[in-house]
Amino acid sequence: MNIIPHNFTIEGFLLVLSLLLFVSLAASKLSGKFGIPALILFLAVGMLAGSNGPLGIYFDDPNLAQSFGIIALSFILFSGGLNTRMEEMRPVIGKGLSLATIGVLITTVIVGLAIHLLTDLNIYEGFLLGAIVSSTDAAAVFSILQSRSLNLKHRIAQVLELESGSNDPMAYFLTITLTQYLLNPNPGQLGWILPNFVINMAIGAIVGFVMGKFTIYIINKIHLQNPALYPVLSFSLVLFSYSFANLIQGNGFLAVYITGIILGNGYFINKNTIVRFSDGIAWLMQILMFITLGMLVFPDQIPPVIGIGLIISLILIFIARPISVFVSLLFYKVNLRSKIFISLIGLRGASPIVFATYPLIAGIDKSNMIFNIVFFIVITSVLLQGSTISILAKILKLDKPIVRKLKSFKLYDDIKNELTELIISKNSTSVGKELVELKFPSTSLIVLINRENKYITPKGSTQLMANDKLLIMTESKGEIPNIKKCLDIE
């Protein structure tokens, strides 16, 4: 039953929007407690609010969903780039870009062939569906890694983040190219795919680099009176970066991602304000995008594609993704356990659903079937891969305690004190012991304990628990190995 009047006012719209946001945030809190990825709950909120849900809000406008999805993805990619540190990414650039290009292409071909053999879709329609689901999703990867607080060995997190931030442009290019080909089948245009790809990516990269440098210059020179306006200025230039790159036949998604990377690794005034604000906007966009895409789906249209959707999901997760990863990383020194982990953590998210609106809007034959299959694949990926990432990391022994230097400062001219955060692992022998029992170095001090987001003032009788985060003050970083040995953590 539709409990929202068809002619409801702006106040009614804002009321519904605020309730949906509140429910989504509450759902994300539950996701952390029960290990359910928050992204799937955002989609569920949208589906419950949509035509077949209790709220019964009729929404069937793929054009609007696509437009909002593009804006949201732009901000998400920008935020991801803004938080990317080049000193951490530089050693994995080759691996990440290989996965983002060769990996996407291989996934497209394998999934496309499988779909063609298993369904009545022709080979090009199969490739189109394969291209749509070929990229891992930046929003999904960034949020899952952050929410799980995983510290992965061998720079795996950096590889996954770089891949997810840079493979959307490749998937987008293939989706648009194949959609245009299906609208106007001309074998001659297939020969232009590679040159068009190189030009498209090159223009996007150049625009992103130039806009990043230009944005830093403008922010440092404009001297706005109100510091709160600097995030607005940066985001206006981000939107310009996306739209201008597309206007001159470049890849807008790549442009905004590189713009974010240039800003994140540059120096400009009010940088912390812009970074914090962009993180909040990225989360807001992510939530609203998933709610919108959830509302666009008609749940009663999903059951007919569950069978084929499940088969394609399994092929994507256990065949196409592993093959694409192993081939892409063939010429790089990556151990077997890392390859297996990267293979099985190929999260799909909102990007494929947004890309699936392109053939839908273009009126491609069977585009509605393609959209519903893509939606089911995304749900399967987030549920299966998103919920098992921590377990898989432990099984493959790729997780490690987080060691993060928070601050370094001088108390005296000849003493350099440091604050370091260490996490007590579950298998540490210090779990259950009182602080007084530990043979802690006399030159070090446990300042604070973070336990399940609650702060505890340490005393001699305080017992350590698994996953406790200890804020430790030391006189020098050379004391850290002794402290870790004392706490029995790696």
Side-chain angles (χ1 to χ4, degrees):
M1 183 178 73
N2 192 338
I3 63 173
I4 304 297
H6 293 289
N7 59 344
F8 66 94
T9 62
I10 185 63
E11 290 81 8
F13 170 76
L14 292 176
L15 176 63
V16 172
L17 179 61
S18 64
L19 289 173
L20 291 178
L21 285 173
F22 179 80
V23 171
S24 298
L25 292 172
S28 69
K29 183 70 176 178
L30 290 174
S31 74
K33 185 176 181 180
F34 296 104
I36 304 171
L39 305 182
I40 202 71
L41 298 177
F42 299 154
L43 278 175
V45 170
M47 294 174 70
L48 291 172
S51 304
N52 295 148
L55 287 181
I57 302 174
Y58 184 79
F59 181 72
D60 188 19
D61 191 343
N63 284 283
L64 179 59
Q66 182 188 98
S67 299
F68 181 72
I70 289 172
I71 296 172
L73 284 176
S74 296
F75 282 116
I76 291 168
L77 287 171
F78 171 70
S79 178
L82 201 60
N83 288 285
T84 297
R85 295 292 168 262
M86 283 308 299
E87 63 268 18
E88 296 179 0
M89 292 296 176
R90 198 169 285 114
V92 301
I93 286 179
K95 302 170 189 174
L97 293 183
S98 181
L99 288 168
T101 51
I102 298 173
V104 167
L105 185 60
I106 293 174
T107 301
T108 299
V109 172
I110 294 176
V111 174
L113 289 172
I115 291 169
H116 174 57
L117 294 174
L118 295 171
T119 70
D120 59 349
L121 296 178
N122 65 46
I123 189 65
Y124 294 108
E125 291 169 340
F127 286 152
L128 173 60
L129 202 160
I132 291 171
V133 298
S134 63
S135 69
T136 56
D137 187 73
V141 171
F142 294 150
S143 64
I144 292 291
L145 289 178
Q146 290 172 7
S147 64
R148 297 292 187 274
S149 297
L150 282 176
N151 189 26
L152 299 170
K153 298 177 181 178
H154 313 307
R155 299 184 184 274
I156 294 175
Q158 287 79 9
V159 172
L160 290 170
E161 289 182 9
L162 180 59
E163 177 200 10
S164 64
S166 57
N167 64 9
D168 278 350
M170 178 70 169
Y172 173 77
F173 173 81
L174 291 174
T175 299
I176 296 300
T177 300
L178 288 165
T179 299
Q180 292 174 345
Y181 180 80
L182 287 169
L183 286 174
N184 182 27
N186 181 6
Q189 72 186 60
L190 295 177
W192 286 95
I193 290 180
L194 182 58
N196 286 339
F197 171 74
V198 173
I199 294 172
N200 183 262
M201 294 297 174
I203 293 175
I206 293 171
V207 170
F209 179 82
V210 172
M211 284 303 302
K213 294 293 186 181
F214 178 71
T215 301
I216 292 175
Y217 175 80
I218 289 295
I219 290 175
N220 286 331
K221 293 294 183 181
I222 198 169
H223 300 302
L224 296 173
Q225 293 182 345
N226 190 337
L229 293 175
Y230 283 95
V232 180
L233 171 63
S234 65
F235 287 155
S236 69
L237 295 173
V238 168
L239 292 175
F240 178 84
S241 178
Y242 173 85
S243 56
F244 182 72
N246 273 276
L247 185 65
I248 59 175
Q249 305 303 307
N251 196 296
F253 292 127
L254 183 60
V256 295
Y257 184 57
I258 292 180
T259 298
I261 291 176
I262 298 298
L263 260 68
N265 292 273
Y267 298 94
F268 51 92
I269 60 176
N270 292 298
K271 182 175 181 178
N272 289 337
T273 301
I274 291 175
V275 171
R276 287 196 298 268
F277 189 74
S278 69
D279 287 343
I281 290 295
W283 267 104
L284 176 62
M285 289 292 175
Q286 182 174 290
I287 293 171
L288 290 176
M289 178 171 61
F290 273 85
I291 291 175
T292 303
L293 294 173
M295 290 177 64
L296 185 63
V297 174
F298 288 79
D300 57 1
Q301 296 179 9
I302 299 297
V305 302
I306 287 179
I308 188 62
L310 183 59
I311 293 173
I312 296 172
S313 293
L314 295 176
I315 291 173
L316 174 63
I317 295 171
F318 296 109
I319 298 177
R321 172 69 177 176
I323 291 176
S324 68
V325 168
F326 275 77
V327 173
S328 299
L329 300 179
L330 190 61
F331 299 104
Y332 296 95
K333 292 183 179 179
V334 182
N335 62 53
L336 180 61
R337 287 183 292 119
S338 297
K339 287 181 181 178
I340 292 173
F341 183 83
I342 295 171
S343 297
L344 297 177
I345 305 300
L347 284 163
R348 269 64 191 177
S351 299
I353 303 176
V354 174
F355 294 160
T357 61
Y358 283 92
L360 198 63
I361 293 171
I364 299 295
D365 188 29
K366 300 171 187 173
S367 59
N368 195 60
M369 173 186 174
I370 291 174
F371 181 87
N372 290 326
I373 291 176
V374 168
F375 187 83
F376 183 81
I377 290 173
V378 168
I379 292 178
T380 306
S381 173
V382 175
L383 276 176
L384 180 61
Q385 297 173 295
S387 59
T388 57
I389 183 170
S390 299
I391 299 172
L392 187 61
K394 286 181 173 61
I395 291 175
L396 295 173
K397 298 180 180 180
L398 292 172
D399 61 325
K400 60 180 180 179
I402 296 175
V403 180
R404 179 165 53 92
K405 186 167 70 174
L406 301 178
K407 190 176 181 180
S408 178
F409 58 92
K410 285 187 177 182
L411 293 178
Y412 304 99
D413 290 339
D414 58 340
I415 297 178
K416 187 179 180 69
N417 289 71
E418 292 193 357
L419 285 172
T420 303
E421 185 181 86
L422 296 176
I423 296 183
I424 303 299
S425 57
K426 293 181 179 179
N427 56 356
S428 171
T429 55
S430 63
V431 173
K433 287 186 178 181
E434 295 182 355
L435 294 182
V436 72
E437 299 179 61
L438 301 174
K439 296 179 180 179
F440 219 68
S442 59
T443 53
S444 303
L445 178 67
I446 299 176
V447 180
L448 204 63
I449 299 177
N450 182 343
R451 180 175 295 164
E452 296 180 350
N453 295 322
K454 294 181 180 179
Y455 292 97
I456 300 172
T457 302
K459 301 176 183 178
S461 60
T462 302
Q463 286 188 331
L464 292 179
M465 296 179 61
N467 299 318
D468 277 355
K469 296 179 182 179
L470 309 184
L471 184 62
I472 303 173
M473 178 178 286
T474 60
E475 289 188 358
S476 69
K477 62 181 179 182
E479 298 175 23
I480 297 300
N482 291 332
I483 293 173
K484 291 168 70 175
K485 184 178 180 180
C486 173
L487 295 172
D488 187 28
I489 58 177
E490 296 182 2

